[in-house]
């Protein structure tokens, strides 16, 4: 991908994009991603919705299909696949989640995994009948809580935080109490990009005797996580955003080791049983983390994620975060300089310490703008009613690409205005 | 793959394998599957557990990764992926299930899909509190029923059929009644290969006012199905066996059109909502089949299944069944001739009209035999306590391969005896 020169002319940016790219210690990783065909993509600013494929993924998928699948066939279940959900979970835990072994697994869709862990948490705190969730959380999170509350006779305690800010420790402290069973929050808010104070909120929730479940969809792979250190109880996340697992890639789940024996999820499938192939008439959950599995693990669909976790291990999450902050800082500077004069507002925190790896800008014409941009290969993400998300996946995005994309937003906005 | 000559010498078989292969109208399809590397596979007799990859799958997967994923990126959700679970379900319905459009979808694991449809069925028949299931059903089916009965305060009515025979209409008639909400049975029993009389049993269940849920894991792709014609209410099945979708490929679910509006499943994820991206605070299920979706559809993982459904469309399910019967008839003749003298028993129906596409034979030493066979590339499937399943995937298995496999079973049994 090549980018038009000087898109940020006239905007007060201390350093030209080319200079930042030249100094970027992660720049070499960009060539590890598959180059789109000419003209298909000018600037990809939606790695927070669907990460790009790695260049190696098609070849390695072919090797997998011919080898583990085609040559070893059913023998691969014995040889490696049976342990894959937890082996890959362990690797993800080490590289991305800040989790020791035996606490993370890869399985299901994010929504299904979230259902299982929410149910496990609620059922695991008898005598407590409230689920706390914020009203600006991602639809699937809110919907699942609604359904579970209805079927289990629980109540929902809504947090009404400022959507442009996010859920602060004080918002949580104000609602948790003796009735709270579990608190579900997104670590990085899907709209504003607000980065919640996970350790402080987790501690508050524990003080109330409740369980903390973090939705890490928008932080895993872009923000360093320290789940063990923060004392997090439960977490879920998806792997097709900053973890580049491909469309509909499986989710991950995290259950703190000390909690595994006392919690049980309700989807009693064979893979969560103590003896999946057993003749036993009665279900007995597996002793440890496996009890949170249900069906046959999606082995084929896990392959691209494996490749990306290794790439992140090479780069290191701290370096990823460092570039992420530089990218979102620049995106805000470009929004201020290029777009604010056209009536565009910023709906994301200005403090990088409270921000994930995307920013959201707002304008009433952004629906049309997005349609026009997509046609010309500039790809941000539209979120109703009028938000444009600029997602900046640090390992695959250059500063020049960001500049080109933001200039294209300005141009498209001028055209429709 | 090449096979040793005359493995069936001394056994009374009317036609040599070579002659059957030469006359096989489906023989040309065998070259459409990926050829394993030399020595890796001599005879694959476990396509009923994990189907072989198609030769075209690695290349088409590479094209998908570079194209729909790598070039179109997030735009593919708008362009095609959003409808993929139902579009592929429709195609599967037409080619494999005997189902008109808008009734089948591809999503989740089989166990998760089964949980959702069982819950929908039970919750959809208020005033009825019994789930009927047979004691020899696949573990995940029994376990899920157990869990659901426990959480919903329902009772389980067990059918105790002869495991070597199967569940007959009379067995079902004896237990269904006014308390029955839903009956869950496997169309082809995973151990014996017994093929249940789906239309007769479905009618019986309807007479009792209950819903019928068929587990089609071991019949989809090997036995012609006519779900619409049989009046089936609900069905699930997996796509990694005779549908060659790859390890852990997504499941399919079927919900009869007339039933969709009145049933609701409990995993209220965004993809099942009327407006997945909506700002609405409350979950409202999608009008039709989509309400049975939960999370982001596993698009990447659906690709190999797409290829196989087209292959089956070329071959035709009736031709597949015809070859399947010839294969299992020959497998039984070989078992009788080569293995019965060594004390091996047959645990499958002798009537081909009541048999799916695998047979099970039994011997106390089959665990060791399987281990020895796997090492030399002969791959049946061991099922405790001492069953050996000979799975015969009609499109990828030759008669010579079957003969070679059965002779190898004999040789290995002689070695360990």
């Amino acid at each position: 991908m090549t980018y038009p020169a000087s898109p940020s002319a006239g905007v007060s940016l201390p350093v030209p994009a080319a200079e930042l790219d030249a100094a970027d210690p992660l720049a070499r990783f960009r060539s590890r991603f598959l180059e789109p065909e000419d003209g298909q993509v000018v600037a990809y600013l939606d790695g927070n919705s669907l990460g790009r494929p790695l260049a190696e993924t098609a070849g390695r998928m072919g090797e997998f299909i011919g080898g583990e699948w085609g040559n070893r066939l059913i023998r691969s279940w014995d040889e490696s696949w049976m342990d894959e959900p937890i082996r890959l979970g362990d690797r993800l835990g080490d590289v991305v989640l800040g989790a020791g072994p035996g606490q993370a697994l890869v399985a299901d869709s994010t929504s299904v995994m979230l259902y299982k862990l929410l149910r496990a948490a609620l059922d695991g705190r008898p005598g407590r009948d409230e689920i706390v969730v914020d009203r600006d959380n991602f639809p699937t999170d809110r919907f699942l809580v609604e359904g579970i509350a209805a079927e289990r006779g629980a109540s929902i305690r809504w947090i009404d935080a400022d959507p442009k800010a996010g859920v602060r420790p004080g918002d949580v402290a104000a609602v948790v109490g003796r009735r709270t069973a579990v608190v579900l929050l997104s670590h990085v808010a899907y709209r504003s990009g607000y980065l919640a104070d996970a350790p402080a909120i987790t501690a508050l929730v524990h003080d109330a005797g409740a369980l903390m479940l973090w939705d890490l969809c928008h932080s895993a792979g872009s923000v360093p996580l320290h789940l063990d250190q923060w004392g997090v109880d439960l977490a879920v996340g998806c792997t097709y955003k900053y973890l580049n697992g491909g469309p509909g890639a499986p989710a991950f789940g995290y259950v703190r080791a000390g909690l595994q024996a006392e919690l049980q999820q309700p989807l009693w499938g064979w893979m969560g049983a103590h003896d999946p192939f057993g003749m036993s008439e009665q279900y007995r959950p597996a002793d440890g983390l496996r009890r949170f599995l249900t069906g046959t693990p999606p082995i084929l669909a896990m392959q691209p994620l494996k490749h990306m976790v290794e790439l992140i291990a090479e780069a290191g999450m701290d370096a990823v975060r460092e570039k992420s902050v530089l990218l979102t800082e620049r995106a805000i500077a470009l929004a201020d300089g290029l777009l604010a004069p056209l009536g565009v507002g910023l709906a994301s925190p200005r403090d990088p310490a409270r921000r994930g790896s995307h920013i959201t800008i707002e304008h009433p014409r952004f629906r049309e703008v997005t349609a026009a941009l997509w046609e010309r290969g500039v790809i941000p993400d539209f979120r109703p009613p009028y938000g444009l998300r600029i997602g900046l996946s640090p390992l695959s995005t250059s500063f020049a690409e960001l500049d080109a994309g933001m200039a294209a937003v300005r141009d498209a906005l001028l055209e429709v205005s």
Side-chain angles (χ1 to χ4, degrees), chain A:
Chain A
M1 297 188 281
T2 51
Y3 312 101
S6 307
S8 47
V11 181
S12 157
L13 293 168
V15 186
E19 212 166 292
L20 283 171
D21 282 321
D24 174 14
L26 301 184
R28 66 192 170 94
F29 288 101
R30 290 188 48 240
S31 64
R32 298 280 293 276
F33 294 85
L34 194 65
E35 183 77 9
E37 279 169 35
D38 266 358
Q40 292 276 349
V41 180
V42 173
Y44 192 54
L45 305 175
D46 202 13
N48 58 321
S49 285
L50 176 70
R52 290 171 52 193
L54 296 192
E56 69 197 81
T57 284
R60 290 182 67 179
M61 187 66 103
E63 283 166 27
F64 173 86
I65 291 171
E68 285 185 45
W69 179 9
N71 280 335
R72 301 308 295 164
L73 290 157
I74 196 69
R75 295 173 290 196
S76 281
W77 279 111
D78 283 25
E79 290 164 359
S80 65
W81 293 345
M82 210 61 183
D83 296 324
E84 191 79 344
I86 292 176
R87 187 169 48 237
L88 182 51
D90 282 350
R91 192 73 186 121
L92 188 69
D94 182 34
V95 174
V96 172
L97 305 178
Q103 301 180 110
L105 47 74
V106 178
D108 300 322
S109 66
T110 311
S111 298
V112 168
M113 182 66 80
L114 186 49
Y115 178 87
K116 287 158 67 169
L117 298 192
L118 267 173
R119 281 286 309 270
L122 179 64
D123 296 351
R125 285 293 172 272
R128 291 170 173 257
D129 68 346
E130 273 185 4
I131 306 173
V132 172
V133 63
D134 69 300
R135 214 176 282 281
D136 199 49
N137 211 330
F138 192 73
T140 217
D141 297 60
R142 292 185 281 108
F143 294 156
L144 284 164
V145 166
E146 224 190 301
I148 288 171
E151 65 169 313
R152 304 306 284 172
S155 304
I156 307 175
R157 190 71 187 260
W158 293 100
I159 293 178
D160 283 294
D162 175 0
K164 295 191 186 178
V167 179
R168 288 154 205 270
D171 300 322
V172 179
V175 297
V176 292
R178 281 184 305 173
R179 291 183 58 187
T180 314
V182 54
V183 176
L184 167 64
L185 296 173
S186 285
H187 187 215
V188 170
Y190 81 108
R191 283 202 288 197
S192 67
Y194 178 82
L195 172 62
D197 187 344
I201 290 175
T202 302
L204 271 168
V205 170
H206 286 170
D207 287 345
L211 295 170
M212 184 68 220
L213 198 173
W214 284 106
D215 178 335
L216 306 173
C217 283
H218 283 274
S219 53
S222 70
V223 177
L225 300 166
H226 304 282
L227 300 187
D228 286 354
Q229 191 184 313
W230 299 342
V232 167
D233 300 303
L234 302 151
V236 298
C238 67
T239 67
Y240 48 74
K241 297 176 187 292
Y242 298 107
L243 297 172
N244 302 62
F252 66 85
Y254 167 91
V255 183
R256 180 163 58 76
L259 207 56
Q260 292 171 10
E262 64 175 287
L263 295 190
Q264 193 169 353
Q265 57 85 16
L267 278 68
W268 294 5
W270 65 324
M271 287 294 157
H274 187 262
D275 178 6
F277 301 97
M279 309 292 295
S280 67
E281 278 180 21
Q282 291 203 301
Y283 178 82
R284 190 180 127 209
D287 284 334
L289 187 63
R290 291 197 77 90
R291 62 173 54 190
F292 298 95
L293 292 176
T294 298
T296 305
I299 301 295
L300 184 81
M302 288 180 197
Q303 299 307 309
L305 170 63
K306 282 167 75 168
H307 316 154
M308 184 61 179
V309 172
E310 293 316 317
L311 194 76
I312 295 175
E314 274 185 62
M317 275 306 304
D318 289 334
V320 167
R321 172 66 175 163
E322 212 165 300
K323 181 170 176 188
S324 164
V325 169
L326 290 176
L327 282 163
T328 55
E329 284 287 272
R330 189 172 186 90
I332 290 176
L334 287 162
D336 287 344
L338 293 174
L339 305 175
L342 305 176
V344 171
L346 176 69
S348 296
R350 286 189 177 270
D351 175 5
R354 291 270 66 85
R355 194 171 65 220
S357 203
H358 72 270
I359 68 159
T360 295
I361 51 182
E362 292 183 335
H363 190 281
R365 308 297 292 273
F366 270 162
R367 189 186 288 273
E368 303 150 75
V369 163
T370 306
L373 289 172
W374 278 24
E375 295 230 343
R376 56 190 80 160
V378 173
I379 312 174
D381 182 33
F382 177 71
R383 287 282 146 176
Y386 37 74
L388 198 70
R389 289 196 309 190
I390 307 294
L392 300 160
S393 195
L395 289 166
S396 59
T397 310
S398 69
F399 295 91
E401 185 177 7
L402 168 61
D403 279 25
M406 295 297 275
V409 173
R410 175 201 55 199
D411 296 346
L413 195 52
L414 285 169
E415 285 166 34
V416 302
S417 296

